[in-house]
Each structure stands twice: as structure tokens, then as C-alpha cells.
């Protein structure tokens, strides 16, 4: 089924006076009035943040943890807004949350990574939002599935919402990675390619999971053209009741903003020539890579025929380990990361096996006649 065209409005047209880069910051959870007000005051003093975030209803993976202060927290956010003029954003997961947040004058809503993948929940939220034009940020689903992310955006879009942006917060992954949630940048990039009007924000806090990597992840997002960031900031992270490891203290957050290089959305005319030149080079290299991959797969297929003719199993693990070791040694010399080379070579290997076995299956379906002819 073709995807809907998402005719979303850019952040600058949300009617809230927001502009690129959109900086959203605040605690993982609203924990108390003092904590909320203290955060709002430091963010206001920094001067670069326009929206404060705070979780009011917290989706915890396991029961028995702090699940948010609930409706009471909305009053604290109202007070923080009155005092500082910052706009307020909260996570909503049910129609009741939507109703309470809107009644409290919350300015932006976001749908969390545990809600986005649930079509029932997203539809219920979309129905509750029908007829409003409140901006909604849609975080990616916890699992790397682009359709679920797009599906959530489509449900909201079909409910008439146009003020939407997607938030990349990384994906749960079964292998150990240096991140809490693997960034898998290809997903937000593919989302943007399919829906150019949709603006992307990055939540480097939930990707990193600890304070050290937040800067690098945030910079990568800005380099990729993301429109802004959502960062967890807590006045005293060590005492935080959720996500204590990844929340930045106010001074560290201001330091981070000082360090980051904010990119323009589109290249300026002066940059254009050099950019064209470099892009031509990239295109040329991509073409060569495609040709080489094609050639490699053809040879793999011939090896497959040969193995089959001699009744040898397609998968030869020792041979594959030798190839991988060799490539990893090369990678070291070329400055390529081990993770990238592993992933790339695994994909090449998977495709080779697929080609070799597909060929066998096709041949088998031709019947004994075809096989004996080929076997000679
Ligand atoms: C959050 O923003 O605190 C949160 C729960 O995030 P996510 O839905 O991305 O896990
Ligand atoms: Mn959090």
C-alpha cells in the first residue's frame, strides 16, 4: 500500500514562534514543583531553549518504578510557563492524557517510543486530537521498523494534524552496542527521504543512555540536517527518579550547546560548486561500489554452482571467518570502524548465500532434467 503524503508544516509555521534549531530540554520526569521551577529557570537563563519537556506519565519498562507525578505535575508546568514564558511539552499515551494536557494549556505533545508502535494507542490519541492543531512530536518506535513510525504519523495526519515532527531516539537492538538505543541513522534518513516536508528532531539523551556520548550523537544529528534536539536536563541528575545516568546538569547542558556546531538547512550559494564536485565524486564511487558488488555476487553464484556439483554445503564457516578477519585487518588500515565493516560484510555474505541458495532452489524447481544438464 502506498504511504500517505504527509503534508506537515515546518516548525516555523506552527504558530508558536519556534525556529530552527528547535531546542527542547528538561527533565525526564517532572518530580516536584521545585524541581520543575528550578529547571525552567536555568533553561530560561541559558536563553537558547524555547520548549521545556517533562514526563508527567512515565512508561516504565518494569513495574515498581516511579511512574510520574500525573495530573498534579501539569500545575507545576503551568506555573513554570507563567514564570518563564517557556513553552511546555509532555508525553501522552492515552486520550485521557491528551485531554488533561490540553486542558492544562500544554503547548506541544509527544508520543513516546513505547506508544508509537501500538496502532490502537496511536489511533486513540489521533481521535482525541482530531479538530485541534496542537503540535505533536512522534518518537520512533523502540524496534527498528520504519512502517510503524510512518504509520503513527499517518494516523495523526489522517486526523487532520499538520504540525508534526519526528523524533529520532534510537532503537532497541539485540546486540550489545555502545548506546542505550542504537542510532541506526538510516531509519530517520529514509523517513526524511520519503517525507521531505517532515522535520526531524533528535533525542540524543535516549540514544546515548549516559552523559558522555550525548554531544557526539547530537552533533551527528545536526550534521545530518536535523532541525533540532530534545535533551534531558535535570537540576541534580544524581537524584533523578528516572533516567538518572543520562540527564545533564544545567551547566553541562549549556556547555554542550556552546560546543555544538549548528548547520544551516540548505547549502548557501557559495558552497554549491565545491559541494557539486564532491557529490560527483561520491556518485562515481557509489557506482563503482555497485559494480564491484555485482561482480562479487556473480562469482559467489559460480562458487555455489561448483559446490552443488560436488555436493558440498553452501555455508563454509571457516572460510567466512578468514574473509572477515582479513577485511577487519584492512579496515584498521583504512580507518573504517570494525562495527561498520562487520555489518557491511555480513550483509554481503547474507546476499551471497541468498544468491547461491536461490539458484539452487530455482534449479531444483526446474527438475532433474535441468539439473542433470547443468551437472553435465
Ligand atoms: C522520555 O522522553 O523520557 C521517554 C520515555 O522517551 P522514549 O519514549 O524515547 O523512551
Ligand atoms: Mn527519559
Amino acid at each position: 500500500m502506498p504511504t500517505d503524503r504527509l503534508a506537515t508544516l515546518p516548525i516555523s509555521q506552527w504558530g508558536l514562534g519556534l525556529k530552527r534549531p528547535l531546542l527542547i530540554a528538561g527533565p525526564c520526569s517532572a518530580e516536584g514543583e521545585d524541581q520543575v521551577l528550578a529547571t525552567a529557570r536555568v533553561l530560561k537563563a541559558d536563553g537558547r531553549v524555547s520548549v521545556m519537556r517533562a514526563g508527567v506519565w512515565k512508561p516504565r519498562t518494569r513495574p515498581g518504578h516511579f511512574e510520574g507525578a500525573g495530573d498534579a505535575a501539569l500545575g507545576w508546568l503551568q506555573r513554570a510557563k507563567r514564570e518563564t514564558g517557556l513553552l511546555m511539552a509532555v508525553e501522552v499515551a492515552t486520550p485521557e492524557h491528551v485531554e488533561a494536557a490540553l486542558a492544562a494549556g500544554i503547548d506541544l505533545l509527544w508520543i513516546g517510543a513505547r506508544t508509537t508502535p501500538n496502532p490502537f494507542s496511536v489511533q486513540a490519541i489521533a481521535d482525541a486530537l482530531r479538530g485541534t492543531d496542537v503540535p505533536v512530536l512522534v518518537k520512533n518506535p523502540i524496534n527498528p521498523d520504519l512502517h510503524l513510525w510512518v504509520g503513527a504519523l499517518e494516523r495523526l495526519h489522517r486526523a487532520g494534524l499538520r504540525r508534526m515532527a519526528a523524533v529520532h531516539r534510537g532503537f532497541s537492538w539485540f546486540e550489545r552496542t555502545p548506546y542505550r538505543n542504537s542510532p541506526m541513522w538510516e531509519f530517520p534518513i529514509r523517513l526524511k527521504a520519503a517525507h521531505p516536508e517532515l522535520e526531524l528532531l533528535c533525542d540524543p539523551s535516549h540514544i546515548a543512555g549516559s552523559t558522555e556520548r550525548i554531544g557526539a550523537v547530537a552533533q551527528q544529528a545536526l550534521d545530518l540536517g536535523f532541525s533540532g534536539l530534545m535533551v534531558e536536563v535535570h537540576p541534580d541528575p544524581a537524584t533523578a527518579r528516572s533516567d538518572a545516568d543520562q540527564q545533564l546538569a544545567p551547566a553541562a547542558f549549556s556547555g554542550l550547546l556552546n560546543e555544538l556546531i549548528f548547520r544551516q538547512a540548505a547549502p548557501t550559494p557559495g558552497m554549491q560548486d565545491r559541494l557539486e564536485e564532491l557529490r560527483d565524486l561520491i556518485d562515481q564511487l557509489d557506482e563503482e561500489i555497485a559494480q564491484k558488488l555485482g561482480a562479487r555476487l556473480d562469482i559467489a553464484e559460480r562458487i555455489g554452482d561448483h559446490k552443488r556439483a560436488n555436493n558440498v554445503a553452501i555455508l563454509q564457516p571457516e572460510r567466512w571467518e578468514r574473509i572477515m578477519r582479513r577485511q577487519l585487518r584492512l579496515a584498521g588500515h583504512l580507518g573504517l570502524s570494525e562495527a561498520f565493516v562487520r555489518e557491511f560484510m555480513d550483509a554481503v555474505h547474507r546476499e551471497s548465500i541468498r544468491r547461491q541458495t536461490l539458484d539452487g532452489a530455482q534449479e531444483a524447481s526446474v527438475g532433474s532434467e535441468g539439473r542433470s544438464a547443468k551437472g553435465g
Side-chain angles (χ1 to χ4, degrees):
M1 199 181 84
T3 51
D4 295 355
R5 177 178 160 255
L6 298 176
T8 53
L9 291 170
I11 288 163
S12 57
Q13 288 174 33
W14 287 0
L16 294 173
L18 300 173
K19 55 183 194 314
R20 193 190 158 99
L22 173 59
L23 296 178
I24 303 172
C28 179
S29 305
E31 298 166 359
E33 185 159 34
D34 292 348
Q35 175 243 18
V36 166
L37 289 174
T39 315
R41 288 176 192 139
V42 289
L43 295 177
K44 178 70 182 173
D46 177 89
R48 289 169 285 189
V49 170
S50 42
V51 180
M52 174 161 153
R53 61 148 286 153
V56 165
W57 303 280
K58 297 301 298 178
R60 305 311 297 268
T61 302
R62 309 267 312 273
H65 296 269
F66 177 57
E67 293 188 331
D71 290 9
L74 294 170
W76 311 333
L77 296 178
Q78 279 176 322
R79 188 163 161 214
K81 178 179 172 172
R82 263 201 315 276
E83 207 182 286
T84 61
L86 289 170
L87 300 173
M88 296 291 146
V90 303
E91 172 175 348
V92 291
T94 66
E96 293 74 29
H97 296 165
V98 170
E99 202 182 314
L102 294 185
I106 297 297
D107 306 282
L108 295 91
L109 307 177
W110 86 80
I111 296 185
R114 288 161 191 76
T115 305
T116 302
N118 185 331
F120 290 128
S121 301
V122 175
Q123 193 57 54
I125 294 170
D127 291 339
L129 285 168
R130 203 180 290 276
T132 74
D133 57 4
V134 58
V136 182
L137 312 176
V138 181
K139 289 196 168 195
N140 64 257
I142 39 178
N143 53 323
D145 183 330
L146 194 57
H147 293 299
L148 284 171
W149 202 358
V150 171
L153 288 156
E154 286 175 333
R155 285 179 195 280
L156 295 166
H157 190 262
R158 287 185 182 195
L161 298 180
R162 297 293 176 265
R163 293 156 202 229
M164 288 196 288
V167 182
H168 173 227
R169 49 74 79 199
F171 300 89
S172 288
W173 193 236
F174 66 94
E175 282 169 350
R176 214 141 52 87
T177 79
Y179 305 96
R180 176 180 178 193
N181 291 297
S182 177
M184 300 183 175
W185 294 100
E186 62 273 25
F187 284 89
I189 291 170
R190 277 162 55 201
L191 178 66
K192 181 76 179 170
H195 300 284
E197 285 157 84
L198 182 69
E199 289 199 77
L200 296 177
L201 307 176
C202 179
D203 169 347
S205 307
H206 287 87
I207 292 177
S210 70
T211 52
E212 299 98 72
R213 278 172 203 276
I214 293 177
V217 173
Q219 188 62 60
Q220 171 102 27
L222 297 175
D223 292 348
L224 287 169
F226 279 57
S227 302
L229 303 170
M230 179 193 270
V231 182
E232 285 190 340
V233 177
H234 190 289
D236 182 12
T239 64
R241 300 186 69 185
S242 58
D243 287 351
D245 294 343
Q246 72 193 31
Q247 302 206 58
L248 288 172
F253 174 62
S254 292
L256 169 76
L257 294 187
N258 294 341
E259 299 269 296
L260 289 173
I261 303 166
F262 291 91
R263 313 281 182 194
Q264 318 210 24
T268 55
M271 279 169 64
Q272 204 58 41
D273 288 352
R274 179 76 184 132
L275 204 57
E276 289 308 338
E277 222 176 272
L278 293 171
R279 283 183 173 157
D280 284 350
L281 277 178
I282 293 265
D283 290 349
Q284 213 174 313
L285 287 171
D286 282 346
E287 204 177 304
E288 282 172 32
I289 292 171
Q291 278 165 358
K292 293 252 187 304
L293 282 174
R296 191 195 189 283
L297 289 171
D298 284 346
I299 294 179
E301 210 168 299
R302 273 160 53 195
I303 292 181
D305 287 349
H306 189 60
K307 283 180 187 160
R308 230 182 333 272
N310 290 286
N311 232 352
V312 173
I314 292 288
L315 189 61
Q316 298 288 326
E318 327 76 53
R319 162 80 180 139
W320 177 243
E321 272 162 32
R322 267 203 313 281
I323 294 181
M324 190 63 109
R325 268 202 304 279
R326 185 166 170 276
Q327 290 303 96
L328 288 174
R329 261 199 314 277
L330 268 175
H333 294 307
L334 294 170
L336 298 171
S337 80
E338 182 177 329
F340 168 71
V341 171
R342 271 191 194 285
E343 217 173 294
F344 178 76
M345 290 307 296
D346 276 337
V348 169
H349 190 222
R350 267 199 307 277
E351 183 62 7
S352 297
I353 299 274
R354 196 185 68 82
R355 281 274 282 269
Q356 293 184 342
T357 45
L358 196 72
D359 202 48
Q362 271 165 359
E363 245 179 76
S365 71
V366 172
S368 55
E369 203 187 304
R371 197 171 332 170
S372 60
K374 197 158 187 177

